[in-house]
Amino acid sequence: MSTTTATTDPSGAQERSLAGRAFHLIGVGGAGMNVVAQLLASRGATVTGSDAHGGPAFEHLRDLGLDVTLGHDAANVPVDATVVVSTAIKETNPELVAARERGQEVIHRSQALALAAQGRAFVAVAGAHGKTTTSGMLAEALTAAGADPSFAIGGVVRALGTGAHLGSGPAFVAEADESDKSFLNYAPTIEVVTNVEPDHLDNYGTAEAFAAAFVDFAGRLVPGGLLVACADDPGAHRLAVAAAADGHRVLTYGTSAADALPGGPVPGFEAHVRLEVTGRRGSGTSARLTRTGSDGAVTAGPVDLELAVPGDHVALDAAGAWAAGLELGVAPATMADGLAEFGGTGRRFEDRGEADGVRVVDDYAHHPTEVAALLTTAREVADERGGRVLALFQPHLFSRTRNFADRFGEALTSADVVVLAPIYPARETQADFPEVTGATVADLVPGARYVADRVASAEAVADAARPGDLLLTVGAGDVTELADVVLARLRRRESLTGETTAR
């Protein structure tokens, strides 16, 4: 793909209005693209777009008054527009073909986001998982602190009602996508790296190449910028070591003291944020945060943190957001208070409803580590209810399913009932991976079932549920739609019995 180069403006110069510029976004209803569309429009640009499938985000753009069209056609593309694409858009797309033939400027989604962020202190949150929650937490906490940040997040922050906002404050918080290396189009003031755990091997090829991209990402920091890295993750810790050796400022966060980090203490960046989880419950987590200097002296905190979202992994994300907030000048206690207001983002342990005594929760987890963390949290919630954990899992991508089948199987064994739905192919095709299906994972989980029809898979897991159970719909594809199928099935059962089914 031929694109132009764009980065954020690290100088802090007064931002330039985009009024008078036109942008056309192909695939505008996508999780990342619809956010960029809103931000460009907020900066005064004329924004049009198209999408093949529509959906809630697409309809939201229409409600905002943006000129977006369902379906792809060359006639949709204004001749004076800069065309914005994601990696998912194929060169054969008729709108992209027309733009190329006319010689129109074509840029990647990340480059368009960089234009929307110019003049702000750019905070890029990256990692194979945890970045949506961490960036959402940071955006909400800064908002609660009165800092009015701009933000671009690949999910709706529930309390803020959106994943995109152009604020008046100096900070711009963005979820930075490593899947296609587009995070290398930014020049961040602060980088938060939640983990460097191999993923997207269909693009990178090897775990070493994936890790190397994060080293390049750290090299994109502006002079004097800060890398905030999770010390609990070996890959992020190795990145911190490399970045410190390259002369970057580095701050680690995690549950371990500096002298207990993997590989031992690293001279030059022993200062880090320590997280101590002090209480766990189905409705949230209690923790304590302390920042120490390289000499071991406390420089901030300790402060108590009461999160309204459960899970140790969520508390770890909060520690990273807290560290970034302090770097942006927010007082430690104020930052903790703001994080306490965080109610989650869309598709991250999102309650979808309850029927016949069964609570249904939807989650975007699509990497083995994410699935394992989700099920650990789910077990805590289910134990409080006195019920079991049921999981309807839809693998995302044939290549990821093949590469991580063993680890998915290991993670899913912690659920009491597991049903595998058909793989969500996204940009891949079954013809290229004829041997890979949901059964590839189901066969590795004792008692699990693979149901080749997606609706039937939802009905199967609903039929297995009992009052008190916690039922999860899990994956990055359209499994989220199946939560409604599950609830409808449970409500039908409840109406037929006239009362909640006996345990």
Side-chain angles (χ1 to χ4, degrees), residues 60-106:
H60 179 61
L61 294 176
R62 279 187 168 171
D63 292 342
L64 293 175
L66 273 66
D67 182 10
V68 294
T69 304
L70 191 59
H72 296 308
D73 190 291
N76 293 334
V77 186
V79 296
D80 61 341
T82 294
V83 175
V84 182
V85 296
S86 70
T87 307
I89 302 302
K90 299 183 183 302
E91 286 291 331
T92 54
N93 181 283
E95 297 183 9
L96 183 55
V97 169
R100 297 278 194 217
E101 290 177 346
R102 289 197 291 249
Q104 290 177 248
E105 181 183 33
V106 178

Side-chain angles (χ1 to χ4, degrees), residues 88-183:
I89 302 302
K90 299 183 183 302
E91 286 291 331
T92 54
N93 181 283
E95 297 183 9
L96 183 55
V97 169
R100 297 278 194 217
E101 290 177 346
R102 289 197 291 249
Q104 290 177 248
E105 181 183 33
V106 178
I107 64 175
H108 189 269
R109 175 190 64 201
S110 59
Q111 296 171 299
L113 176 60
L115 286 173
Q118 63 186 4
R120 308 294 177 96
F122 198 81
V123 183
V125 182
H129 41 87
K131 53 185 176 286
T132 300
T133 297
T134 304
S135 54
M137 282 181 158
L138 182 54
E140 185 167 341
L142 291 174
T143 300
D148 192 21
S150 301
F151 53 86
I153 298 164
V156 174
V157 182
R158 294 175 197 162
L160 302 178
T162 184
H165 172 67
L166 187 68
S168 60
F172 194 116
V173 179
E175 180 178 341
D177 184 11
E178 82 288 345
S179 66
D180 55 4
K181 301 183 182 179
S182 61
F183 66 162

Side-chain angles (χ1 to χ4, degrees), residues 12 27 56-57 59 68 74 77 84 102 129 144 157 170 173 215 227 248 270 287 293 312 362-363 419 452 460 469 484:
E59 294 302 326
V68 294
V77 186
V84 182
R102 289 197 291 249
H129 41 87
V157 182
V173 179
V215 174
L227 170 65
H248 295 293
E270 284 87 347
D312 285 15
D362 185 47
D363 198 278
V419 175
D469 287 346
D484 292 332

